[in-house]
mmCIF file of all heavy atoms in Angstrom:
data_model
loop_
_atom_site.group_PDB
_atom_site.id
_atom_site.type_symbol
_atom_site.label_atom_id
_atom_site.label_comp_id
_atom_site.label_asym_id
_atom_site.label_seq_id
_atom_site.Cartn_x
_atom_site.Cartn_y
_atom_site.Cartn_z
ATOM 1 N N GLY A 145 7.234 -3.666 -1.761
ATOM 2 C CA GLY A 145 7.025 -2.558 -2.681
ATOM 3 C C GLY A 145 6.243 -2.929 -3.942
ATOM 4 O O GLY A 145 5.431 -2.124 -4.452
ATOM 5 N N SER A 146 6.476 -4.135 -4.456
ATOM 6 C CA SER A 146 5.829 -4.517 -5.719
ATOM 7 C C SER A 146 4.326 -4.672 -5.574
ATOM 8 O O SER A 146 3.595 -4.663 -6.571
ATOM 9 C CB SER A 146 6.417 -5.819 -6.246
ATOM 10 O OG SER A 146 6.156 -6.890 -5.336
ATOM 11 N N LYS A 147 3.827 -4.848 -4.359
ATOM 12 C CA LYS A 147 2.391 -5.023 -4.156
ATOM 13 C C LYS A 147 1.606 -3.728 -4.331
ATOM 14 O O LYS A 147 0.428 -3.733 -4.645
ATOM 15 C CB LYS A 147 2.119 -5.544 -2.745
ATOM 16 C CG LYS A 147 2.870 -6.820 -2.395
ATOM 17 C CD LYS A 147 2.288 -7.997 -3.133
ATOM 18 C CE LYS A 147 3.113 -9.259 -2.864
ATOM 19 N NZ LYS A 147 4.409 -9.277 -3.572
ATOM 20 N N LEU A 148 2.248 -2.588 -4.113
ATOM 21 C CA LEU A 148 1.532 -1.329 -4.027
ATOM 22 C C LEU A 148 0.844 -0.941 -5.320
ATOM 23 O O LEU A 148 -0.265 -0.398 -5.307
ATOM 24 C CB LEU A 148 2.491 -0.219 -3.573
ATOM 25 C CG LEU A 148 3.252 -0.507 -2.250
ATOM 26 C CD1 LEU A 148 4.015 0.755 -1.816
ATOM 27 C CD2 LEU A 148 2.323 -0.996 -1.160
ATOM 28 N N SER A 149 1.499 -1.179 -6.450
ATOM 29 C CA SER A 149 0.888 -0.838 -7.744
ATOM 30 C C SER A 149 -0.355 -1.642 -7.977
ATOM 31 O O SER A 149 -1.368 -1.113 -8.474
ATOM 32 C CB SER A 149 1.903 -1.066 -8.856
ATOM 33 O OG SER A 149 1.318 -0.833 -10.128
ATOM 34 N N PHE A 150 -0.336 -2.916 -7.634
ATOM 35 C CA PHE A 150 -1.528 -3.766 -7.794
ATOM 36 C C PHE A 150 -2.661 -3.292 -6.896
ATOM 37 O O PHE A 150 -3.812 -3.228 -7.309
ATOM 38 C CB PHE A 150 -1.196 -5.223 -7.453
ATOM 39 C CG PHE A 150 -0.313 -5.912 -8.472
ATOM 40 C CD1 PHE A 150 0.700 -6.768 -8.069
ATOM 41 C CD2 PHE A 150 -0.489 -5.725 -9.835
ATOM 42 C CE1 PHE A 150 1.521 -7.414 -8.977
ATOM 43 C CE2 PHE A 150 0.321 -6.361 -10.752
ATOM 44 C CZ PHE A 150 1.334 -7.201 -10.335
ATOM 45 N N VAL A 151 -2.307 -2.933 -5.665
ATOM 46 C CA VAL A 151 -3.304 -2.445 -4.715
ATOM 47 C C VAL A 151 -3.932 -1.163 -5.202
ATOM 48 O O VAL A 151 -5.154 -0.981 -5.135
ATOM 49 C CB VAL A 151 -2.692 -2.231 -3.315
ATOM 50 C CG1 VAL A 151 -3.677 -1.580 -2.373
ATOM 51 C CG2 VAL A 151 -2.260 -3.596 -2.738
ATOM 52 N N ASP A 152 -3.109 -0.259 -5.717
ATOM 53 C CA ASP A 152 -3.635 0.997 -6.249
ATOM 54 C C ASP A 152 -4.585 0.762 -7.409
ATOM 55 O O ASP A 152 -5.627 1.445 -7.541
ATOM 56 C CB ASP A 152 -2.471 1.890 -6.712
ATOM 57 C CG ASP A 152 -1.692 2.466 -5.524
ATOM 58 O OD1 ASP A 152 -2.191 2.431 -4.401
ATOM 59 O OD2 ASP A 152 -0.558 2.931 -5.740
ATOM 60 N N ALA A 153 -4.265 -0.199 -8.267
ATOM 61 C CA ALA A 153 -5.139 -0.500 -9.397
ATOM 62 C C ALA A 153 -6.486 -1.032 -8.915
ATOM 63 O O ALA A 153 -7.535 -0.695 -9.484
ATOM 64 C CB ALA A 153 -4.472 -1.551 -10.313
ATOM 65 N N ILE A 154 -6.475 -1.834 -7.872
ATOM 66 C CA ILE A 154 -7.739 -2.319 -7.311
ATOM 67 C C ILE A 154 -8.561 -1.176 -6.764
ATOM 68 O O ILE A 154 -9.755 -1.044 -7.025
ATOM 69 C CB ILE A 154 -7.436 -3.357 -6.176
ATOM 70 C CG1 ILE A 154 -6.853 -4.634 -6.773
ATOM 71 C CG2 ILE A 154 -8.701 -3.664 -5.374
ATOM 72 C CD1 ILE A 154 -6.313 -5.586 -5.728
ATOM 73 N N ARG A 155 -7.917 -0.291 -6.009
ATOM 74 C CA ARG A 155 -8.620 0.811 -5.349
ATOM 75 C C ARG A 155 -9.136 1.817 -6.361
ATOM 76 O O ARG A 155 -10.159 2.496 -6.097
ATOM 77 C CB ARG A 155 -7.677 1.468 -4.347
ATOM 78 C CG ARG A 155 -7.377 0.572 -3.144
ATOM 79 C CD ARG A 155 -6.333 1.167 -2.217
ATOM 80 N NE ARG A 155 -6.100 0.295 -1.075
ATOM 81 C CZ ARG A 155 -5.104 0.488 -0.183
ATOM 82 N NH1 ARG A 155 -4.267 1.514 -0.355
ATOM 83 N NH2 ARG A 155 -4.973 -0.345 0.826
ATOM 84 N N GLU A 156 -8.485 1.928 -7.498
ATOM 85 C CA GLU A 156 -8.967 2.863 -8.534
ATOM 86 C C GLU A 156 -10.327 2.457 -9.086
ATOM 87 O O GLU A 156 -11.037 3.278 -9.642
ATOM 88 C CB GLU A 156 -7.949 2.956 -9.635
ATOM 89 C CG GLU A 156 -6.698 3.786 -9.279
ATOM 90 C CD GLU A 156 -5.587 3.662 -10.302
ATOM 91 O OE1 GLU A 156 -5.821 3.035 -11.360
ATOM 92 O OE2 GLU A 156 -4.497 4.192 -10.061
ATOM 93 N N THR A 157 -10.705 1.205 -8.935
ATOM 94 C CA THR A 157 -12.032 0.767 -9.405
ATOM 95 C C THR A 157 -13.132 1.106 -8.412
ATOM 96 O O THR A 157 -14.310 0.920 -8.725
ATOM 97 C CB THR A 157 -12.047 -0.775 -9.606
ATOM 98 O OG1 THR A 157 -11.994 -1.432 -8.318
ATOM 99 C CG2 THR A 157 -10.895 -1.221 -10.463
ATOM 100 N N GLY A 158 -12.752 1.566 -7.218
ATOM 101 C CA GLY A 158 -13.723 1.810 -6.175
ATOM 102 C C GLY A 158 -13.830 0.651 -5.186
ATOM 103 O O GLY A 158 -14.557 0.729 -4.206
ATOM 104 N N ALA A 159 -13.109 -0.440 -5.486
ATOM 105 C CA ALA A 159 -13.033 -1.573 -4.543
ATOM 106 C C ALA A 159 -11.997 -1.240 -3.484
ATOM 107 O O ALA A 159 -11.224 -0.297 -3.602
ATOM 108 C CB ALA A 159 -12.666 -2.841 -5.292
ATOM 109 N N SER A 160 -11.987 -2.044 -2.416
ATOM 110 C CA SER A 160 -10.999 -1.869 -1.371
ATOM 111 C C SER A 160 -10.062 -3.073 -1.317
ATOM 112 O O SER A 160 -10.435 -4.172 -1.711
ATOM 113 C CB SER A 160 -11.688 -1.674 -0.002
ATOM 114 O OG SER A 160 -12.371 -2.867 0.380
ATOM 115 N N CYS A 161 -8.857 -2.846 -0.868
ATOM 116 C CA CYS A 161 -7.886 -3.927 -0.688
ATOM 117 C C CYS A 161 -7.067 -3.628 0.550
ATOM 118 O O CYS A 161 -6.260 -2.703 0.549
ATOM 119 C CB CYS A 161 -6.980 -4.063 -1.923
ATOM 120 S SG CYS A 161 -5.805 -5.434 -1.777
ATOM 121 N N ALA A 162 -7.295 -4.388 1.598
ATOM 122 C CA ALA A 162 -6.597 -4.193 2.883
ATOM 123 C C ALA A 162 -5.761 -5.369 3.283
ATOM 124 O O ALA A 162 -5.102 -5.373 4.322
ATOM 125 C CB ALA A 162 -7.605 -3.892 3.987
ATOM 126 N N HIS A 163 -5.747 -6.431 2.406
ATOM 127 C CA HIS A 163 -5.014 -7.658 2.738
ATOM 128 C C HIS A 163 -4.339 -8.217 1.498
ATOM 129 O O HIS A 163 -4.922 -8.213 0.402
ATOM 130 C CB HIS A 163 -5.961 -8.725 3.302
ATOM 131 C CG HIS A 163 -6.647 -8.304 4.582
ATOM 132 N ND1 HIS A 163 -6.142 -8.629 5.823
ATOM 133 C CD2 HIS A 163 -7.793 -7.590 4.776
ATOM 134 C CE1 HIS A 163 -6.958 -8.137 6.735
ATOM 135 N NE2 HIS A 163 -7.942 -7.508 6.146
ATOM 136 N N THR A 164 -3.125 -8.737 1.692
ATOM 137 C CA THR A 164 -2.430 -9.478 0.646
ATOM 138 C C THR A 164 -1.908 -10.772 1.248
ATOM 139 O O THR A 164 -1.433 -10.816 2.361
ATOM 140 C CB THR A 164 -1.310 -8.666 0.002
ATOM 141 O OG1 THR A 164 -0.708 -9.417 -1.074
ATOM 142 C CG2 THR A 164 -0.220 -8.295 1.015
ATOM 143 N N ALA A 165 -1.994 -11.851 0.468
ATOM 144 C CA ALA A 165 -1.563 -13.174 0.923
ATOM 145 C C ALA A 165 -0.524 -13.727 -0.022
ATOM 146 O O ALA A 165 -0.691 -13.685 -1.249
ATOM 147 C CB ALA A 165 -2.754 -14.119 1.026
ATOM 148 N N VAL A 166 0.555 -14.268 0.545
ATOM 149 C CA VAL A 166 1.636 -14.865 -0.260
ATOM 150 C C VAL A 166 2.048 -16.179 0.381
ATOM 151 O O VAL A 166 1.853 -16.406 1.587
ATOM 152 C CB VAL A 166 2.848 -13.930 -0.344
ATOM 153 C CG1 VAL A 166 2.474 -12.619 -1.004
ATOM 154 C CG2 VAL A 166 3.455 -13.666 1.029
ATOM 155 N N ILE A 167 2.643 -17.038 -0.424
ATOM 156 C CA ILE A 167 3.190 -18.296 0.112
ATOM 157 C C ILE A 167 4.454 -17.982 0.914
ATOM 158 O O ILE A 167 4.624 -18.496 2.017
ATOM 159 C CB ILE A 167 3.527 -19.238 -1.046
ATOM 160 C CG1 ILE A 167 2.274 -19.635 -1.787
ATOM 161 C CG2 ILE A 167 4.258 -20.487 -0.513
ATOM 162 C CD1 ILE A 167 2.529 -20.288 -3.132
ATOM 163 N N PHE A 168 5.272 -17.087 0.383
ATOM 164 C CA PHE A 168 6.599 -16.886 0.944
ATOM 165 C C PHE A 168 6.893 -15.390 1.147
ATOM 166 O O PHE A 168 6.663 -14.580 0.222
ATOM 167 C CB PHE A 168 7.673 -17.461 0.022
ATOM 168 C CG PHE A 168 9.060 -17.404 0.581
ATOM 169 C CD1 PHE A 168 9.501 -18.348 1.491
ATOM 170 C CD2 PHE A 168 9.932 -16.381 0.191
ATOM 171 C CE1 PHE A 168 10.795 -18.284 2.001
ATOM 172 C CE2 PHE A 168 11.202 -16.309 0.703
ATOM 173 C CZ PHE A 168 11.643 -17.260 1.615
ATOM 174 N N SER A 169 7.325 -15.036 2.329
ATOM 175 C CA SER A 169 7.807 -13.692 2.613
ATOM 176 C C SER A 169 9.267 -13.756 3.030
ATOM 177 O O SER A 169 9.637 -14.615 3.836
ATOM 178 C CB SER A 169 6.976 -13.064 3.755
ATOM 179 O OG SER A 169 7.536 -11.819 4.167
ATOM 180 N N TYR A 170 10.096 -12.884 2.502
ATOM 181 C CA TYR A 170 11.515 -12.899 2.854
ATOM 182 C C TYR A 170 11.679 -12.853 4.373
ATOM 183 O O TYR A 170 12.502 -13.546 4.941
ATOM 184 C CB TYR A 170 12.260 -11.758 2.178
ATOM 185 C CG TYR A 170 12.829 -12.085 0.847
ATOM 186 C CD1 TYR A 170 12.047 -12.708 -0.151
ATOM 187 C CD2 TYR A 170 14.155 -11.812 0.518
ATOM 188 C CE1 TYR A 170 12.572 -13.013 -1.380
ATOM 189 C CE2 TYR A 170 14.676 -12.093 -0.716
ATOM 190 C CZ TYR A 170 13.889 -12.717 -1.653
ATOM 191 O OH TYR A 170 14.425 -13.013 -2.891
ATOM 192 N N GLY A 171 10.937 -11.978 5.047
ATOM 193 C CA GLY A 171 10.977 -11.948 6.510
ATOM 194 C C GLY A 171 12.272 -11.432 7.078
ATOM 195 O O GLY A 171 12.576 -11.661 8.289
ATOM 196 N N ILE A 172 13.076 -10.709 6.284
ATOM 197 C CA ILE A 172 14.370 -10.237 6.778
ATOM 198 C C ILE A 172 14.529 -8.711 6.629
ATOM 199 O O ILE A 172 15.504 -8.156 7.136
ATOM 200 C CB ILE A 172 15.536 -10.928 6.043
ATOM 201 C CG1 ILE A 172 15.430 -10.783 4.540
ATOM 202 C CG2 ILE A 172 15.563 -12.412 6.432
ATOM 203 C CD1 ILE A 172 16.598 -11.334 3.752
ATOM 204 N N PHE A 173 13.618 -8.081 5.913
ATOM 205 C CA PHE A 173 13.710 -6.633 5.706
ATOM 206 C C PHE A 173 12.716 -5.935 6.616
ATOM 207 O O PHE A 173 11.507 -6.080 6.459
ATOM 208 C CB PHE A 173 13.431 -6.291 4.257
ATOM 209 C CG PHE A 173 14.388 -6.895 3.284
ATOM 210 C CD1 PHE A 173 13.960 -7.740 2.271
ATOM 211 C CD2 PHE A 173 15.748 -6.635 3.393
ATOM 212 C CE1 PHE A 173 14.835 -8.310 1.362
ATOM 213 C CE2 PHE A 173 16.667 -7.216 2.505
ATOM 214 C CZ PHE A 173 16.215 -8.048 1.498
ATOM 215 N N PRO A 174 13.205 -5.180 7.595
ATOM 216 C CA PRO A 174 12.315 -4.541 8.571
ATOM 217 C C PRO A 174 11.330 -3.554 7.974
ATOM 218 O O PRO A 174 10.271 -3.280 8.543
ATOM 219 C CB PRO A 174 13.276 -3.833 9.541
ATOM 220 C CG PRO A 174 14.534 -3.678 8.772
ATOM 221 C CD PRO A 174 14.633 -4.850 7.873
ATOM 222 N N GLU A 175 11.642 -3.054 6.782
ATOM 223 C CA GLU A 175 10.753 -2.055 6.185
ATOM 224 C C GLU A 175 9.509 -2.681 5.518
ATOM 225 O O GLU A 175 8.570 -1.947 5.154
ATOM 226 C CB GLU A 175 11.506 -1.224 5.133
ATOM 227 C CG GLU A 175 11.969 -1.968 3.907
ATOM 228 C CD GLU A 175 13.361 -2.534 4.019
ATOM 229 O OE1 GLU A 175 13.826 -2.778 5.153
ATOM 230 O OE2 GLU A 175 13.994 -2.730 2.966
ATOM 231 N N THR A 176 9.492 -3.988 5.363
ATOM 232 C CA THR A 176 8.389 -4.633 4.649
ATOM 233 C C THR A 176 7.033 -4.351 5.283
ATOM 234 O O THR A 176 6.122 -3.833 4.645
ATOM 235 C CB THR A 176 8.606 -6.147 4.553
ATOM 236 O OG1 THR A 176 9.851 -6.426 3.919
ATOM 237 C CG2 THR A 176 7.456 -6.807 3.787
ATOM 238 N N GLU A 177 6.909 -4.695 6.552
ATOM 239 C CA GLU A 177 5.640 -4.492 7.250
ATOM 240 C C GLU A 177 5.262 -3.014 7.298
ATOM 241 O O GLU A 177 4.101 -2.653 7.142
ATOM 242 C CB GLU A 177 5.734 -5.045 8.677
ATOM 243 C CG GLU A 177 5.907 -6.556 8.746
ATOM 244 C CD GLU A 177 4.630 -7.309 8.427
ATOM 245 O OE1 GLU A 177 3.560 -6.677 8.312
ATOM 246 O OE2 GLU A 177 4.679 -8.551 8.266
ATOM 247 N N ARG A 178 6.250 -2.144 7.466
ATOM 248 C CA ARG A 178 6.004 -0.707 7.532
ATOM 249 C C ARG A 178 5.493 -0.179 6.175
ATOM 250 O O ARG A 178 4.547 0.604 6.116
ATOM 251 C CB ARG A 178 7.262 0.035 7.941
ATOM 252 C CG ARG A 178 7.070 1.552 8.119
ATOM 253 C CD ARG A 178 8.295 2.211 8.718
ATOM 254 N NE ARG A 178 9.466 2.089 7.876
ATOM 255 C CZ ARG A 178 10.517 1.303 8.169
ATOM 256 N NH1 ARG A 178 10.498 0.567 9.266
ATOM 257 N NH2 ARG A 178 11.552 1.286 7.359
ATOM 258 N N THR A 179 6.126 -0.623 5.091
ATOM 259 C CA THR A 179 5.723 -0.212 3.754
ATOM 260 C C THR A 179 4.290 -0.597 3.460
ATOM 261 O O THR A 179 3.478 0.210 3.001
ATOM 262 C CB THR A 179 6.622 -0.853 2.691
ATOM 263 O OG1 THR A 179 7.962 -0.382 2.876
ATOM 264 C CG2 THR A 179 6.151 -0.511 1.280
ATOM 265 N N LEU A 180 3.931 -1.826 3.806
ATOM 266 C CA LEU A 180 2.573 -2.307 3.595
ATOM 267 C C LEU A 180 1.566 -1.637 4.509
ATOM 268 O O LEU A 180 0.474 -1.240 4.086
ATOM 269 C CB LEU A 180 2.519 -3.822 3.762
ATOM 270 C CG LEU A 180 3.352 -4.633 2.758
ATOM 271 C CD1 LEU A 180 3.321 -6.109 3.115
ATOM 272 C CD2 LEU A 180 2.823 -4.421 1.340
#
């Protein structure tokens, strides 16, 4: 969920953002992939 605000800010400039990269993902919440 915390990624969405950053992505929206990027897209508001007219740029696109279709990928996010992290070192660590909790990997235990089924809604994560769906939310993104």
Side-chain angles (χ1 to χ4, degrees):
S146 65
K147 305 287 175 287
L148 305 188
S149 176
F150 290 140
V151 172
D152 288 344
I154 291 170
R155 292 173 178 171
E156 286 170 5
T157 70
S160 65
C161 182
H163 298 266
T164 183
V166 300
I167 297 165
F168 185 82
S169 172
Y170 269 49
I172 55 175
F173 299 121
E175 67 268 25
T176 302
E177 295 285 351
R178 184 172 62 251
T179 297
L180 296 174

